[in-house]
Amino acid sequence: MKWLTIALVLALSSRQAYSYFITVDAHSEECFFDKVDFGTKMGLTFEIAEGGFLDIDVRIVAPDGKVLYDGEQESSGKFTFAAHTPGIYTYCFSNQKGTMTPKVVMFNMDIGETPKQPGADSPAAGAQEGDGPNAKLDDVIKELSTSLWSVKSEQEYMQVRDRNHRTINESTNFRVVVWSFFEATVLVCMTLGQVYYLKRFFEVRRVV
């Protein structure tokens, strides 16, 4: 059991998935880069935490210049792909269409393990890696680590969504209170005006 726990911790620590918060100013663009090998699975997940209408442009470009993903005015999303060529992959968040409002973006790039080389399935490589039961256990641990990372990422994005919804609710409640106060003020002014007008209308004027 202790060995299984240690193996699980090592599997989790070896997986590259980090969450970041960045601020993209108006009329600007923030880009990030990851160098991966051929066939490596990558997944970009993002959520707009605050700013403007909670939208931003997202673009993913391969090392050969091919645009893998190009989204405009998106508030959240997830895009998974496999590297079709080795090299540096670029993913950018653009706020070029923003007027004067910066956007706070939460994102992570989940990078899977490098695929095995063709010679890795040889008998010698299999003997070095271990027996069949250990290999199956290793696969189960990897699948479990992937699931745990997915749950962790989803919890983080749920926290961001909860904060966004709470901000919207508080803003709506504030506007309702202000509008109610304005209506009450107008109603009181109209009532006082009507009383004054009726009083002047029925007032008996004395002529000297």
Side-chain angles (χ1 to χ4, degrees):
M1 184 65 183
K2 184 177 180 180
W3 178 86
L4 179 60
T5 304
I6 295 175
L8 180 58
V9 171
L10 291 177
L12 289 174
S13 60
S14 62
R15 188 173 183 84
Q16 300 182 31
Y18 307 97
S19 296
Y20 300 96
F21 279 92
I22 62 171
T23 300
V24 185
D25 294 328
H27 307 292
S28 66
E29 185 179 58
E30 297 289 342
C31 294
F32 300 86
F33 310 91
D34 275 308
K35 184 177 181 180
V36 298
D37 296 327
F38 172 79
T40 302
K41 291 185 178 180
M42 306 174 66
L44 175 65
T45 308
F46 65 93
E47 178 90 16
I48 310 302
E50 60 182 70
F53 295 100
L54 301 178
D55 59 348
I56 203 166
D57 299 338
V58 183
R59 187 175 72 257
I60 302 177
V61 183
D64 55 1
K66 180 180 179 181
V67 178
L68 302 178
Y69 182 79
D70 189 8
E72 295 184 356
Q73 297 181 346
E74 296 188 352
S75 58
S76 63
K78 183 176 182 179
F79 181 70
T80 305
F81 62 97
H84 65 279
T85 180
I88 299 177
Y89 285 77
T90 306
Y91 43 100
C92 301
F93 300 94
S94 174
N95 194 19
Q96 298 288 349
K97 299 180 181 178
T99 53
M100 297 181 62
T101 307
K103 307 292 178 64
V104 178
V105 184
M106 175 187 176
F107 75 95
N108 67 47
M109 174 59 79
D110 186 7
I111 302 177
E113 295 184 354
T114 303
K116 295 181 180 180
Q117 299 298 327
D121 295 333
S122 61
Q128 293 178 357
E129 292 181 1
D131 300 332
N134 292 336
K136 292 182 179 179
L137 182 60
D138 185 56
D139 294 337
V140 172
I141 293 175
K142 291 179 181 178
E143 293 178 1
L144 182 58
S145 67
T146 302
S147 301
L148 290 177
W149 274 115
S150 300
V151 172
K152 180 178 179 295
S153 299
E154 190 63 26
Q155 287 179 343
E156 292 176 349
Y157 285 109
M158 288 299 293
Q159 292 177 356
V160 174
R161 295 188 186 103
D162 178 70
R163 186 173 64 182
N164 291 339
H165 294 164
R166 184 170 61 252
T167 302
I168 294 174
N169 291 336
E170 291 177 354
S171 176
T172 303
N173 292 335
F174 176 76
R175 293 180 182 180
V176 170
V177 171
V178 172
W179 179 252
S180 300
F181 180 77
F182 175 75
E183 286 183 333
T185 303
V186 172
L187 183 61
V188 171
C189 293
M190 291 180 62
T191 302
L192 294 177
Q194 289 177 355
V195 170
Y196 177 77
Y197 177 78
L198 292 175
K199 183 179 180 181
R200 290 291 303 272
F201 183 79
F202 291 104
E203 186 179 28
V204 178
R205 297 183 179 180
R206 295 180 180 181
V207 180
V208 179

